[in-house]
Amino acid sequence: MIDLNIQLKEIISKSILTPAKGAIDNFTHSLNPYAGCAFGCKYCYVREFPVSIFREEEWGAWIDIKSNAAELLEKELAKAKKRGKVALFMSSSTDPYQPIEYTSKLTRSLLEVMFENQPDFLHVQTRSPLVKRDIDLFQQFRDRIRISMTIETDKEEVRKAFAPAAPPIPARMAALKDIKDAGIITQATLAPLLPCSREFPAKLKSIANRVTIDDFWMGDGSGGRRTERLGIRKIFDELGLEKWYNPSAYKVVLKMLEQEFQGAPIQLGVSKTGFSPDANS
């Protein structure tokens, strides 16, 4: 369902493919169908970007729909492919399957453009079960695509504290399993890693070909400073889970994953290298 309190605006963009940099500079471009994100996760580093800071509305309360995105992509993708290999990250600063996608179908229109002129690699990053709607298109990309689902924790009470407007964790896991069962390469992205149970690795084992783990210190682009400014530490304290707000906490979960996946055909990655287009399997 679309939140009627969210400010929606259709905009005409000047471009749709942005040269990739920073944590995703092993891709050639990022692709964001929307500006803004209805999920409005409290830890989202995009809150600290100019696109958010200079808006009157709070992050999570507005969405700009890039209505000419498909037309732009058709032109820009053709030009980019003439210059060499093209690896796209969709999306780096929004969710391509947030609720507005139910009606706009903008992300699906971009997939249709890419199906006609396929990039060398497409990484789709989301936290929405709606992503499984497009299984029919994903299958056409064969090994050129990876569907990555953000699953920060397996504890719903933790998810509700940090991302109350985001889809429930069980629904995300079920959607990712459906996509994997359809023969599409899947990734469970534990980013940013939040407090979880010891059973978390076992829950991921059957739903993903790959698991990548990241945290605030490695993943927010500023060594954790952006996250500190967002006041995230306070949420950990309120939950009585302050020991998890630590740059070494991910190592404990990483060891759990390594033990659970031993002998299993699952690739395990950490931070930037875990997202690399060269790491597909």
Side-chain angles (χ1 to χ4, degrees):
M1 296 290 293
I2 299 170
D3 187 340
L4 298 179
N5 294 317
I6 291 178
Q7 297 294 316
L8 299 176
K9 182 170 67 174
E10 290 198 5
I11 64 172
I12 301 298
S13 293
K14 294 181 179 179
S15 63
I16 193 66
L17 291 182
T18 303
K21 56 185 179 180
I24 59 168
D25 64 7
N26 41 18
F27 290 80
T28 60
H29 303 83
S30 62
L31 171 58
N32 290 283
Y34 306 100
C37 182
F39 293 143
C41 303
K42 295 178 182 178
Y43 54 69
C44 185
Y45 58 82
V46 184
R47 289 174 178 270
E48 287 289 304
F49 285 7
V51 68
S52 177
I53 291 174
F54 296 114
R55 294 285 293 229
E56 292 183 3
E57 306 95 339
E58 287 289 322
W59 179 251
W62 60 273
I63 302 168
D64 290 345
I65 304 164
K66 301 178 182 179
S67 56
N68 63 330
E71 295 88 343
L72 285 174
L73 181 60
E74 186 173 2
K75 298 174 183 177
E76 294 180 20
L77 181 57
K79 289 181 181 178
K81 289 190 68 174
K82 288 180 180 178
R83 293 194 290 268
K85 288 188 175 182
V86 175
L88 304 181
F89 191 105
M90 183 172 77
S91 297
S92 59
S93 59
T94 188
D95 194 305
Y97 288 97
Q98 59 185 297
I100 189 62
E101 176 62 21
Y102 279 100
T103 53
S104 75
K105 296 181 173 63
L106 181 56
T107 294
R108 186 170 176 89
S109 73
L110 298 181
L111 290 168
E112 290 169 344
V113 168
M114 288 185 276
F115 169 62
E116 295 298 329
N117 187 16
Q118 294 191 13
D120 295 278
F121 185 72
L122 173 62
H123 176 102
V124 178
Q125 186 68 49
T126 184
R127 67 191 63 234
S128 172
L130 176 59
V131 65
K132 71 178 184 179
R133 177 200 66 187
D134 293 334
I135 283 176
D136 62 322
L137 286 174
F138 298 152
Q139 289 173 321
Q140 306 306 312
F141 288 81
R142 300 183 185 277
D143 62 353
R144 292 186 175 202
I145 195 169
R146 177 198 300 152
I147 308 303
S148 179
M149 182 73 77
T150 299
I151 307 176
E152 318 96 308
T153 177
D154 62 333
K155 289 177 170 286
E156 270 294 280
E157 64 272 24
V158 172
R159 191 273 302 170
K160 290 176 182 177
F162 287 91
I169 298 298
R172 298 188 214 177
M173 288 184 170
L176 195 63
K177 187 177 190 305
D178 286 345
I179 295 169
K180 182 177 183 289
D181 288 347
I184 300 156
I185 297 170
T186 58
Q187 174 169 297
T189 299
L190 285 51
L193 176 67
L194 296 178
C196 62
S197 75
R198 290 189 175 276
E199 292 72 40
F200 194 19
K203 296 175 183 178
L204 300 172
K205 200 170 184 179
S206 65
I207 68 175
N209 303 100
R210 305 172 39 77
V211 174
T212 288
I213 188 170
D214 205 352
D215 66 10
F216 299 117
W217 293 270
M218 295 184 287
D220 79 350
S222 67
R225 291 188 298 277
R226 284 196 184 113
T227 303
E228 190 69 30
R229 289 196 295 269
L230 292 174
I232 296 302
R233 181 193 295 269
K234 183 179 178 182
I235 302 176
F236 283 86
D237 292 344
E238 290 171 348
L239 292 172
L241 296 169
E242 55 275 2
K243 67 179 181 180
W244 281 86
Y245 192 73
N246 186 305
S248 296
Y250 86 93
K251 295 179 181 178
V252 177
V253 179
L254 180 60
K255 186 175 181 179
M256 289 163 48
L257 291 165
E258 290 171 340
Q259 292 174 343
E260 180 65 36
F261 298 161
Q262 191 171 15
I266 300 175
Q267 288 194 16
L268 185 56
V270 176
S271 196
K272 180 178 177 178
T273 57
F275 291 93
S276 174
D278 299 324
N280 222 20
S281 62

